Amino acid sequence: MSAKYNRVLLKVSGEALATEQGFGLDFHKINNVCEQIRKLDEMGVEVAIVVGAGNFWRGRNGANMDRTRADHMGMLATTINALAILDTLESMDVPARVQTGIEMKQIAEPYIRNKAIRHLEKGRVVIFGCGTGNPFFSTDTAAALRAAEIEADVILLAKNVDGVYDSDPNINKDAVKYDSIRYIDVLNKGLKVMDSTAISLCMDNDIPIEVFGLEQPENIVRVVKGETLGTFVGNELRESFRGEKMC
Ligand code: GTP
């Protein structure tokens, strides 16, 4: 089966895994996401995942805390999500490994870039926990960094909103969705796609981003197959971007 992208970095937010209350883990949702990952794996697409932690903790929740400590708590929370995804993938017989940016060897492999690539080449899904392993960096930045390191063809940014809008569509009903937009315009317009560190990293390393809604989890596979969904973010607009890789 043909795919537009051979090696993808899927960023899954913590909220996408949360229960109706916006907290904790909804294994029904996790199953739905993992089912799509299983399909990609079957297609021969190499899948790496960076997972957020907003369903448990965000650094900024600790307004009165030391920021570094609050971020450490968030990094630990990403590992809970990574293990939940690992367990679900394994229950579907999808080979997968977790690597963490902060060593916790009793629980998961430490992040080793070359080993991560080897896992991907062997058809294993690699889930990166602990963000970048550093405070003051978001899991979006971790997604951009890991994508650059493993030379992913694209970042799949699966969100609660189905693309990039000129204003918050939850607040402004007249908000207009972009079909595609350049990184520099995301930065200049202050659009809330990813934080500016993450966007800058993608811009400097020319890593395209496909932003789409996760309400329909099958969007993950549709985007990888080359369907035009949501918003494409790149140095060039969608029509001039050539995703010619076939697997
Ligand atoms: P290959 O070397 O390609 O065969 O990869 P592999 O991951 O199958 O082999 P390895 O012996 O490295 O790992 C076997 C299992 O142990 C896998 O489930 C790994 O995720 C796990 N593992 C490897 N290193 C560590 C570690 O440092 N900590 C933890 N907790 N698990 C590890």
Side-chain angles (χ1 to χ4, degrees):
M1 193 177 299
S2 71
K4 183 177 178 188
Y5 302 113
N6 289 332
R7 179 176 291 170
V8 302
L9 187 302
L10 172 66
K11 166 71 203 300
V12 182
S13 68
E15 292 98 321
L17 309 178
T19 62
E20 292 298 306
Q21 290 73 41
F23 188 80
L25 294 167
D26 179 337
F27 274 91
H28 178 67
K29 285 189 189 166
I30 298 175
N31 258 287
N32 286 342
V33 172
C34 288
E35 183 54 31
Q36 302 308 309
I37 297 167
R38 189 186 64 74
K39 287 183 187 162
L40 292 181
D41 188 59
E42 262 178 24
M43 287 162 60
V45 175
E46 296 176 3
V47 185
I49 303 172
V50 166
V51 64
N55 52 330
F56 288 115
W57 181 261
R58 281 193 190 87
R60 63 176 180 274
N61 290 146
N64 298 318
M65 287 185 70
D66 175 69
R67 169 71 193 267
T68 299
R69 187 164 299 123
D71 281 348
H72 285 160
M73 290 165 63
M75 288 187 243
L76 293 174
T78 66
T79 309
I80 299 176
N81 288 336
L83 294 175
I85 294 172
L86 173 72
D87 199 75
T88 307
L89 287 172
E90 285 185 346
S91 75
M92 296 174 174
D93 289 328
V94 178
R97 301 285 186 268
V98 171
Q99 292 196 344
T100 56
I102 292 176
E103 275 200 23
M104 43 179 93
K105 277 189 155 185
Q106 287 78 358
I107 294 175
E109 294 178 27
Y111 172 62
I112 299 169
R113 181 261 191 178
N114 284 6
K115 190 156 170 136
I117 290 177
R118 200 77 193 102
H119 286 320
L120 292 170
E121 288 170 348
K122 288 184 174 179
R124 298 165 184 152
V125 175
V126 182
I127 310 155
F128 296 119
C130 292
T132 67
N134 296 290
F136 295 95
F137 291 97
S138 66
T139 51
D140 281 349
T141 300
L145 176 64
R146 296 293 183 243
E149 289 181 281
I150 65 166
E151 298 175 13
D153 301 324
V154 68
I155 294 176
L156 306 176
L157 196 60
K159 294 178 76 106
N160 291 334
V161 182
D162 66 348
V164 181
Y165 286 78
D166 62 350
S167 58
D168 186 345
N170 294 319
I171 297 170
N172 177 12
K173 66 175 175 43
D174 297 322
V176 176
K177 186 164 83 176
Y178 293 97
D179 170 65
S180 63
I181 184 166
R182 294 186 173 89
Y183 308 108
I184 193 71
D185 293 322
V186 171
L187 292 172
N188 287 339
K189 293 175 196 287
L191 300 175
K192 305 267 176 282
V193 185
M194 291 170 128
D195 58 88
S196 57
T197 312
I199 289 287
S200 303
L201 203 52
C202 290
M203 181 167 73
D204 292 348
N205 293 285
D206 210 0
I207 306 164
I209 310 165
E210 299 262 15
V211 187
F212 56 92
L214 196 55
E215 204 168 315
Q216 295 158 305
E218 57 276 16
N219 283 348
I220 296 173
V221 172
R222 292 172 64 194
V223 165
V224 173
K225 283 183 174 172
E227 269 190 60
T228 301
L229 293 176
T231 303
F232 176 89
V233 187
N235 273 321
E236 306 160 55
L237 297 180
R238 200 196 287 272
E239 56 269 25
S240 46
F241 175 76
R242 298 264 173 272
E244 286 169 338
K245 296 143 188 145
M246 306 292 273
C247 64

